[in-house]
């Protein structure tokens, strides 16, 4: 069900830049976009991870390049965009996906810290802004482009108290809501240049980020102390998701591929849940 294969190569000839594509959801997005025919620029702060994803894509016959960049550093991401254009000639699809849940020590904390607010704002919000800023002039000149921001279902309206994640995650949730608001504003601003801007809101995806969330729950919730991180993940799936199964990085990639394709040419300013029905707004 989650395989990217046997899909039409609807993105043939397009070039995509995906941040945070060294692992987790970003890697799944890169795999689907490559499978659909796009050349992929794999951007990550972790150069080795970016190289690994890029090499894996190349082994499937796809065109890919690894680019080390820190999205919180405007000159770093601008340089990655220049390298991408020099490698493939242009960029059609931009996916600001790189994100963080909190600073170090999050797994043991019952409350958020000033450093959590700073890092989630810096990477998740400002890093999305720097990435889009770095490609926007290029897309405007070409009067063409698709931007797909990776936000979160956590950026939508909170669920009831018993189902909501606790205070340590508040800075992250607020940063993800900001990304949705940014998507709305940019859709209005960039529409006149034939650039569509949408967001995908993943639900519950087993990645290193989710392992940290489970780690936090294990140490701060006595009833969770004996469960493994994966068991806690599965409990959340069973409790909150009408479809009762996990979303994978490939599932998220498929939604991104749709929003970046001609099939979504009339869709802009939207935030699409890919969350098994866990949040319905
Ligand atoms: N995992 C989930 O359940 C879930 C749910 C909703 C939304 N999301 C969102 O999906 C995106 C990816 O999450 P994930 O679970 O794959 O996380 P992850 O921690 O597994 O991967 C994040 C990737 O981003 C990279 N990165 C971190 N900081 C960076 C920086 N400053 N510059 C460049 N790259 C950087 C990391 O090296 C890593 O490869 C995030 O925006 C996250 O908020 C995840």
């Amino acid at each position: 069900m989650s395989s990217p294969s046997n899909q039409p190569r609807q993105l043939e000839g397009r070039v995509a830049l995906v941040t945070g594509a060294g692992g987790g959801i970003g890697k799944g997005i890169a795999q689907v976009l490559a499978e659909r025919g796009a050349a992929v620029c794999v951007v990550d702060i972790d150069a080795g991870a970016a190289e690994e994803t890029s090499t894996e894509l190349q082994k499937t016959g796809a065109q890919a390049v690894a680019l080390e960049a820190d999205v919180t550093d405007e000159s770093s991401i601008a340089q990655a965009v220049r390298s991408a254009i020099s490698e493939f000639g242009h960029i059609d699809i931009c996916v600001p996906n790189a994100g963080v849940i909190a600073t170090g020590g999050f797994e043991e904390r019952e409350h958020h810290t000033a450093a959590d607010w700073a890092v989630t704002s810096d990477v998740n919000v400002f890093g999305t802004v720097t990435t889009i800023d770095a490609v926007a002039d290029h897309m405007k000149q070409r009067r063409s482009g698709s931007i797909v921001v990776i936000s979160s279902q956590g950026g939508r309206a909170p669920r009831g108290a018993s189902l909501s994640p606790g205070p340590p995650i508040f800075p992250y949730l607020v940063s993800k809501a900001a990304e949705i608001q940014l998507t709305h504003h940019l859709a209005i601003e960039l529409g006149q240049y034939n650039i569509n801007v949408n967001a995908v809101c993943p639900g519950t995806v087993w990645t290193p980020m989710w392992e940290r969330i489970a780690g936090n729950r294990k140490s701060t919730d006595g009833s969770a102390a004996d469960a493994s991180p994966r068991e806690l993940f599965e409990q959340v799936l069973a409790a909150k998701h009408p479809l009762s199964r996990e979303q994978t990085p490939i599932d998220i990639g498929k939604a991104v591929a749709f929003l970046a394709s001609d099939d979504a040419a009339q869709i802009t300013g939207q935030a699409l849940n890919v969350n098994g029905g866990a949040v319905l707004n």
Side-chain angles (χ1 to χ4, degrees):
M1 183 168 226
S2 282
S3 162
S5 58
N6 301 321
Q7 296 296 331
R9 290 177 65 83
Q10 65 194 143
L11 302 177
E12 192 81 60
R14 310 267 169 98
V15 179
L17 180 137
V18 185
T19 68
I25 289 174
K27 183 172 180 175
I29 295 168
Q31 287 170 324
V32 177
L33 297 181
E35 181 77 24
R36 308 269 168 113
V40 182
C41 306
V42 177
V43 178
D44 207 288
I45 197 169
D46 181 338
E51 198 59 58
E52 222 170 277
T53 299
S54 172
T55 304
E56 279 182 38
L57 296 181
Q58 288 164 355
K59 280 184 183 159
T60 68
Q63 285 185 286
V65 65
L67 300 168
E68 178 184 0
D70 176 353
V71 297
T72 68
D73 176 346
E74 290 165 280
S75 60
S76 172
I77 187 70
Q79 178 55 48
V81 166
R82 281 195 295 275
S83 302
I85 294 170
S86 112
E87 181 79 21
F88 294 121
H90 55 98
I91 297 174
D92 308 280
I93 301 163
C94 172
V95 187
N97 160 80
V100 293
I101 192 85
T103 49
F106 162 74
E107 287 83 340
E108 284 78 45
R109 278 203 300 276
E110 287 188 15
H111 218 271
H112 47 84
T113 65
D116 291 332
W117 286 101
V119 78
T120 51
S121 165
D122 209 20
V123 180
N124 303 353
V125 186
F126 186 60
T128 297
V129 172
T130 62
T131 304
I132 295 171
D133 275 357
V135 299
D137 281 347
H138 173 75
M139 287 183 169
K140 283 181 186 174
Q141 279 161 16
R142 289 168 51 80
R143 299 195 71 80
S144 171
S146 290
I147 297 170
V148 186
V149 172
I150 305 304
S151 175
S152 170
Q153 67 176 2
R156 317 302 285 252
R159 292 173 286 237
S162 63
L163 290 178
S164 286
I169 211 174
F170 283 179
Y172 173 79
L173 300 178
V174 171
S175 75
K176 291 285 141 180
E179 286 181 33
I180 295 173
Q181 184 73 326
L182 179 69
T183 298
H184 294 154
H185 284 295
L186 288 174
I188 294 166
E189 188 190 321
L190 297 177
Q192 62 188 304
Y193 301 100
N194 190 34
I195 300 168
N196 63 342
V197 189
N198 292 291
V200 168
C201 299
T204 308
V205 188
W206 184 245
T207 66
M209 180 182 283
W210 221 99
E211 279 187 69
R212 293 192 72 194
I213 296 170
N216 176 273
R217 193 153 159 240
K218 259 178 87 61
S219 62
T220 59
D221 174 354
S223 70
D226 294 333
S228 71
R230 179 69 203 187
E231 281 166 348
L232 292 173
F233 175 81
E234 282 165 11
Q235 282 171 18
V236 167
L237 284 175
K240 298 184 188 175
H241 296 70
L243 288 178
S244 289
R245 55 177 185 262
E246 69 193 274
Q247 298 88 61
T248 68
I250 296 295
D251 292 326
I252 309 307
K254 287 176 177 175
V256 171
F258 165 66
L259 289 171
S261 75
D262 292 344
D263 291 342
Q266 279 295 340
I267 301 176
T268 197
Q270 306 303 308
L272 176 64
N273 287 331
V274 182
N275 65 354
V279 173
L280 298 174
N281 67 325

